[in-house]
């Protein structure tokens, strides 16, 4: 269980960094004063939230992968 938490947090930190940079660039490109500061604020929050909830997201992705694989194996009934 500890490994899942560490892996999820590490993946969350990676995705959070990428998402934070994307949000910063998006806000910094907007005209107006204070957009760069707002971009930094959004970027930091994206990084923190992705890192904090990364393990949960990883578990939900894995459960979804398992569930969709099982659903594909189940034979479909014909409605005719």
């Amino acid at each position: 269980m500890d490994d899942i938490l560490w892996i999820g947090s590490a993946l969350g930190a990676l995705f959070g960094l990428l998402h934070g940079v994307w949000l910063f660039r998006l806000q910094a490109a907007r005209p107006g004063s204070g957009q760069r500061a707002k971009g930094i604020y959004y970027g930091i929050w994206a990084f923190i939230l992705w890192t904090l909830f990364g393990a949960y997201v990883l578990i939900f992705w894995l459960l979804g992968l398992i569930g969709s694989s099982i659903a594909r194996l189940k034979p479909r009934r014909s409605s005719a």
Side-chain angles (χ1 to χ4, degrees), residues 2-80:
D2 288 341
D3 292 337
I4 293 291
L5 291 174
W6 281 110
I7 292 169
S9 295
L11 287 175
L14 176 68
F15 289 136
L17 182 64
L18 294 174
H19 190 198
V21 168
W22 178 74
L23 284 173
F24 171 73
R25 292 180 59 159
L26 190 68
Q27 286 295 320
R30 297 176 84 185
S33 64
Q35 294 301 323
R36 187 175 173 99
K38 189 184 280 188
I40 291 172
Y41 176 74
Y42 287 172
I44 289 171
W45 269 109
F47 176 75
I48 289 170
L49 291 175
W50 268 102
T51 303
L52 185 63
F53 295 112
Y56 296 109
V57 172
L58 176 64
I59 293 298
F60 287 134
W61 282 345
L62 292 175
L63 289 175
L65 180 68
I66 292 169
S68 68
S69 298
I70 291 172
R72 288 183 187 164
L73 292 174
K74 183 179 172 185
R76 298 181 186 222
R77 296 183 186 177
S78 127
S79 60

